[in-house]
Amino acid sequence: MAQVQQLKQWTQINMANYKDIHGTQIETVSSDPDNPVNGQVWYNSAEQKLKGLKSNPAGTWSSGGNMNTARWVGANGAGTQTAGLVYGGEIPGSPATENKTESYNGSSWTETGDLNTRRRAGSAGGDASTSALYSTGSYPGGSTANVESFDGSSWTELANVNTARQYGAAGHSSGTAGLIFGGFGPPTVYPNTESFNGSSWTEVNDLNTGRRSVAGNGAPTAAICMGGYPSLANTEIWDGTSWTEVADQSNGGGGASFGTSTSALKNNGTTSEVWNGTAWSSGTSSSNDLGNRAGLGTTSLGLLASGESPYSTATEEYVSPTETTVTFDVS
């Protein structure tokens, strides 16, 4: 009872200051308001607690565990922020391409089964770290049509794509379904899109704009294609049949990305932009000014790893904007 009386006295004393700042009194309510605004404070009489809303309208980046092998990837990884996968890429020295695969548990990276074919700049994706797909890419002999599937411990060769290429992108894919689009097979920049049914690849409708070094996310039936080298800002959405041009980004070019066709984040250097399914908006800048990173996860919990320049082992974790009801301690 004494604590309740103390809380009431504290509220009465501070109401005047709160009103001077916010223009309203601290309301007494029997239940928390349905749609409080950032900074709003209220007294919940049923709980006998002073409460308020703390909103972080921007996403936040934080450092994660470093990878074991410095590399730049030129493609997305697979999985989630707490169960992720990055594979292939370019490393210093000779051979310049990498076959090492690393898995992430939310805090540290562990080396796991190697790719059968060393390569960089492939079309990569997967919702789970136990069912990823890596298609096409660049290796010492040029562009490749090679495709491999990961089962959680090892990679298996699958049917090749129809058009060998590098620097393309993929909808989140597995060993039984996939989508790749765009890319580069010197000197041609491709609009080609191919769909995978688990046993073979089929040419389907092309992108409206051919491009390389493109960011891509989503499902084989609902994907997003973002930007491209050198400074394309075009965004296209795949509905399972064809591509449709939608809103342009403010900052074009290549980059890493994660998310879906209706909720995605694209990062290039430190610049981030967020897609809500209709329009792009500025996102929170990442800490590391790196290109050609691997992206994976969702816009709620995303991950960027590796990158250039220089060759990097850096990992950054992303958390989406949050709203939290807080209880004030007035003891």
Side-chain angles (χ1 to χ4, degrees):
M1 190 66 183
Q3 186 177 10
V4 173
Q5 186 62 35
Q6 183 183 30
L7 179 57
K8 288 180 178 179
Q9 290 173 351
W10 184 94
T11 303
Q12 291 169 355
I13 292 169
N14 286 278
M15 270 187 180
N17 292 335
Y18 183 86
K19 185 177 181 181
D20 289 342
I21 296 170
H22 294 276
T24 60
Q25 299 267 6
I26 296 177
E27 291 186 287
T28 297
V29 294
S30 58
S31 61
D32 294 343
D34 291 331
N35 296 298
V37 298
N38 189 29
Q40 182 177 342
V41 177
W42 62 92
Y43 175 69
N44 186 314
S45 59
E47 298 180 21
Q48 298 182 344
K49 293 179 179 178
L50 186 69
K51 305 175 79 173
L53 181 74
K54 178 182 178 182
S55 174
N56 171 23
T60 57
W61 294 94
S62 59
S63 296
N66 286 347
M67 297 188 69
N68 295 285
T69 300
R71 65 184 90 186
W72 66 264
V73 180
N76 287 340
T80 67
Q81 191 186 90
T82 56
L85 202 69
V86 168
Y87 33 92
E90 179 178 298
I91 56 175
S94 180
T97 50
E98 179 60 275
N99 64 349
K100 286 188 171 66
T101 301
E102 296 190 37
S103 63
Y104 191 64
N105 64 4
S107 60
S108 61
W109 292 91
T110 302
E111 289 202 8
T112 181
D114 291 347
L115 288 160
N116 294 287
T117 302
R118 293 177 177 271
R119 59 188 130 154
R120 65 176 193 178
S123 302
D127 290 323
S129 59
T130 55
S131 59
L133 204 68
Y134 197 29
S135 312
T136 70
S138 170
Y139 74 120
S143 298
T144 179
N146 182 271
V147 177
E148 297 186 43
S149 176
F150 189 68
D151 64 5
S153 59
S154 61
W155 292 92
T156 301
E157 296 267 0
L158 300 178
N160 286 359
V161 301
N162 295 284
T163 302
R165 66 189 90 173
Q166 53 190 278
Y167 293 104
H172 291 172
S173 307
S174 68
T176 58
L179 188 78
I180 63 169
F181 40 92
F184 179 61
T188 305
V189 176
Y190 293 112
N192 300 47
T193 302
E194 297 189 39
S195 176
F196 185 60
N197 64 5
S199 59
S200 62
W201 293 88
T202 302
E203 291 266 5
V204 290
N205 286 318
D206 291 350
L207 290 160
N208 292 283
T209 303
R211 60 189 83 189
R212 56 166 288 192
S213 299
V214 61
N217 292 106
T221 56
I224 182 170
C225 175
M226 301 165 273
Y229 179 84
S231 56
L232 287 174
N234 308 52
T235 303
E236 298 189 40
I237 298 295
W238 172 257
D239 63 5
T241 303
S242 60
W243 292 95
T244 302
E245 292 261 8
V246 290
D248 286 358
Q249 304 156 61
S250 296
N251 298 286
S257 62
F258 45 75
T260 67
S261 63
T262 57
S263 177
L265 183 146
K266 179 171 172 280
N267 174 271
N268 189 0
T270 60
T271 301
S272 296
E273 287 191 76
V274 179
W275 170 252
N276 66 3
T278 304
W280 289 94
S281 60
S282 296
T284 306
S285 296
S286 59
S287 299
N288 295 302
D289 188 5
L290 297 167
N292 283 304
R293 307 183 80 181
L296 55 97
T298 68
T299 50
S300 295
L301 296 170
L303 190 78
L304 295 177
S306 67
E308 60 151 359
S309 287
Y311 294 86
S312 178
T313 61
T315 299
E316 287 188 81
E317 299 175 357
Y318 177 80
V319 178
S320 64
T322 57
E323 290 188 348
T324 306
T325 298
V326 296
T327 301
F328 296 98
D329 181 5
V330 297
S331 59

